[in-house]
Amino acid sequence: MEALHNTHVKLLAFDFLSLTPSSTQPNAVCRRDTLLISRAETLGVVTSREHKPDIFLRFTIDDGTGCIPCVLWLNQLTSPYHSRRSPPDVRLIAESARNFATLIQIGVSARVRGKATIYRGKLQLTVSDVFVERDPNAETLHWLQCIHLAKKCYDIVPPFTTTH
């Protein structure tokens, strides 16, 4: 199985939503049982938003092929997960997350990157980075890039090998 494990793979929603949990890697998902993925990037319009201050921001990104559920954690200052990091680093991560949360508003075109994770049996994108797109051509370019990468990089079948 090929791997793009720590690369943000550009995916349209219908491709993202077709990912399945990996049977060999606990923190990864698979694309058509041929490509191991842990991180993804998508671009679309924010269509829903649920904000729990200092805990999380849950939202969906709609790119026209489907809606990707996303979560942006806002609990870095109180989470034991971040306790092993240095306090200045945690403060910077928390400040970035708060800034990203203010950018995510319904109707905004946003590019989001993060980890593909499973929560309660459902696939979601745990967001690490948000960029608001102001270029009206950005979504079309993203679609073209996703299609090109799917054909040239993600859907490559490993060569058939024979053993004698």
Side-chain angles (χ1 to χ4, degrees), residues 21-34:
S22 169
S23 58
T24 59
Q25 296 287 328
N27 295 321
V29 291
C30 296
R31 179 183 155 114
R32 298 185 188 140
D33 293 327
T34 60

Side-chain angles (χ1 to χ4, degrees), residues 46-51 57-60 101-102 104-106:
V46 177
T47 56
S48 72
R49 184 179 194 275
E50 176 190 355
H51 186 219
L57 172 65
R58 192 175 321 207
F59 60 99
T60 54
T102 63
I104 297 296
Q105 301 296 325
I106 292 177

Side-chain angles (χ1 to χ4, degrees), residues 4 7-20 29-32 35-44 61-63 65-66 68 111-114 116 123 125 139 142-143 145-147 149-151 154-155:
L4 289 172
T7 302
H8 286 100
V9 177
K10 289 187 176 205
L11 294 174
L12 294 172
F14 79 91
D15 271 337
F16 181 86
L17 297 170
S18 71
L19 298 175
T20 57
V29 291
C30 296
R31 179 183 155 114
R32 298 185 188 140
L35 183 66
L36 196 59
I37 295 172
S38 64
R39 299 174 191 276
E41 175 181 321
T42 195
L43 187 150
I61 294 285
D62 183 348
D63 70 359
T65 68
I68 297 178
R111 179 181 307 275
V112 294
R113 297 189 311 171
L123 188 64
L125 189 63
E139 196 165 353
H142 178 75
W143 272 58
Q145 289 172 335
C146 288
I147 292 166
L149 288 167
K151 287 180 181 177
Y154 309 153
D155 288 340

Side-chain angles (χ1 to χ4, degrees), residues 75-137:
N75 64 347
Q76 292 83 1
L77 297 176
T78 58
S79 170
Y81 176 79
H82 293 284
S83 62
R84 63 180 179 262
R85 292 188 172 197
S86 72
D89 289 349
V90 174
R91 283 193 295 278
L92 280 173
I93 293 167
E95 182 180 343
S96 291
R98 281 193 309 273
N99 290 339
F100 292 150
T102 63
L103 297 174
I104 297 296
Q105 301 296 325
I106 292 177
V108 166
S109 179
R111 179 181 307 275
V112 294
R113 297 189 311 171
K115 287 187 176 184
T117 56
I118 307 289
Y119 178 69
R120 294 186 177 169
K122 298 199 179 200
L123 188 64
Q124 68 179 11
L125 189 63
T126 301
V127 176
S128 59
D129 190 27
V130 174
F131 179 78
V132 172
E133 280 292 351
R134 301 197 194 301
D135 182 351
N137 298 313

